[in-house]
């Protein structure tokens, strides 16, 4: 989605890693403009990835309980 004609100039990503250590995806920020991320923004992106991981695990546990 971001290759070719999109004109990708900036990418920042943080892995989504389960408690078991499996990397199941990445949350990322992309832009057509060149940008930099300061440490605060890097921390926020990592925290967002952690929040997604927790939410996915809660949903998975809920589905297991329902079956």
């Amino acid at each position: 989605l971001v290759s070719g004609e999109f004109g990708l100039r900036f990418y920042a990503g943080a892995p989504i890693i389960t408690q078991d250590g499996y990397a199941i995806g990445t949350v990322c920020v992309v832009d057509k403009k060149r940008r930099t991320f300061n440490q605060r923004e890097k921390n926020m992106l990592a925290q967002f990835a952690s929040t997604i991981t927790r939410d996915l695990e809660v949903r998975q546990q809920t589905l297991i309980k329902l079956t």
Side-chain angles (χ1 to χ4, degrees):
L1 294 174
V2 296
S3 64
E5 294 182 25
F6 177 77
L8 179 68
R9 302 288 290 161
F10 175 82
Y11 174 92
I16 299 171
I17 302 174
T18 66
Q19 289 180 355
D20 298 336
Y22 293 103
I24 60 171
T26 304
V27 60
C28 62
V29 178
V30 296
D31 202 340
K32 293 181 179 185
K33 298 178 187 175
R34 183 173 287 224
R35 298 182 180 272
T36 59
F37 251 27
N38 62 36
Q39 191 58 49
R40 179 177 169 268
E41 292 166 324
K42 291 176 187 177
N43 292 342
M44 289 172 58
L45 185 60
Q47 182 61 44
F48 185 51
S50 294
T51 299
I52 291 169
T53 300
R54 283 193 307 275
D55 287 353
L56 289 171
E57 289 175 345
V58 166
R59 288 174 186 249
Q60 181 182 23
Q61 290 302 316
T62 301
L63 288 174
I64 290 170
K65 289 178 184 177
L66 293 174
T67 56

